[in-house]
Amino acid sequence: MEKQSNILSEKRKEVEYVNYQTSFNGTKPESKTMNYEVWWDKDNENGGFELYDEESGGNDYYAEGGLWFSSELLTDYDGMFELPGTVVDMLKKMGANVEDFEV
């Protein structure tokens, strides 16, 4: 019998001000309903996240990324310049140690 992975996941909606920011310029912040999904495969010590604005179905604002852990400790991420606070909060709720990523 094959062992099934211990995968945790959570979805959340937040109304917040969002904008694009690059090294050259940025857009004016606007209020959007953002959908977040975070998952953590504890057996394989990795996971990921996805976020998008509800109003455009992700056509205006979309991001995704990877998460890497050492046991319960979040050690690295990829996909965005800064890991969103909502993602950090969701991981903390799942039991991850995210102290190096809290603002």
Side-chain angles (χ1 to χ4, degrees):
M1 176 182 269
E2 186 176 324
K3 181 182 176 189
Q4 293 196 11
S5 290
N6 183 15
I7 299 175
L8 303 176
S9 66
E10 182 182 347
K11 294 181 180 183
R12 183 184 296 181
K13 285 185 185 187
E14 301 271 338
V15 176
E16 55 193 31
Y17 282 93
V18 295
N19 69 308
Y20 282 110
Q21 186 71 40
T22 69
S23 57
F24 298 107
N25 62 18
T27 61
K28 183 179 176 181
E30 56 185 326
S31 180
K32 295 285 184 176
T33 302
M34 299 299 293
N35 290 276
Y36 290 86
E37 183 172 5
V38 176
W39 58 95
W40 175 14
D41 182 340
K42 293 182 81 171
D43 292 340
N44 293 306
E45 298 186 327
N46 62 33
F49 63 92
E50 180 180 42
L51 58 109
Y52 63 91
D53 71 292
E54 189 168 279
E55 290 82 356
S56 76
N59 287 324
D60 291 340
Y61 295 96
Y62 177 85
E64 62 183 40
L67 302 166
W68 291 271
F69 299 84
S70 177
S71 187
E72 307 295 315
L73 177 67
L74 178 64
T75 58
D76 200 7
Y77 72 93
D78 193 18
M80 296 183 75
F81 177 74
E82 185 176 314
L83 194 59
T86 301
V87 173
V88 172
D89 291 344
M90 292 167 74
L91 288 168
K92 192 174 185 177
K93 182 179 174 186
M94 291 178 185
N97 178 342
V98 293
E99 64 187 30
D100 292 341
F101 299 91
E102 291 180 295
V103 178

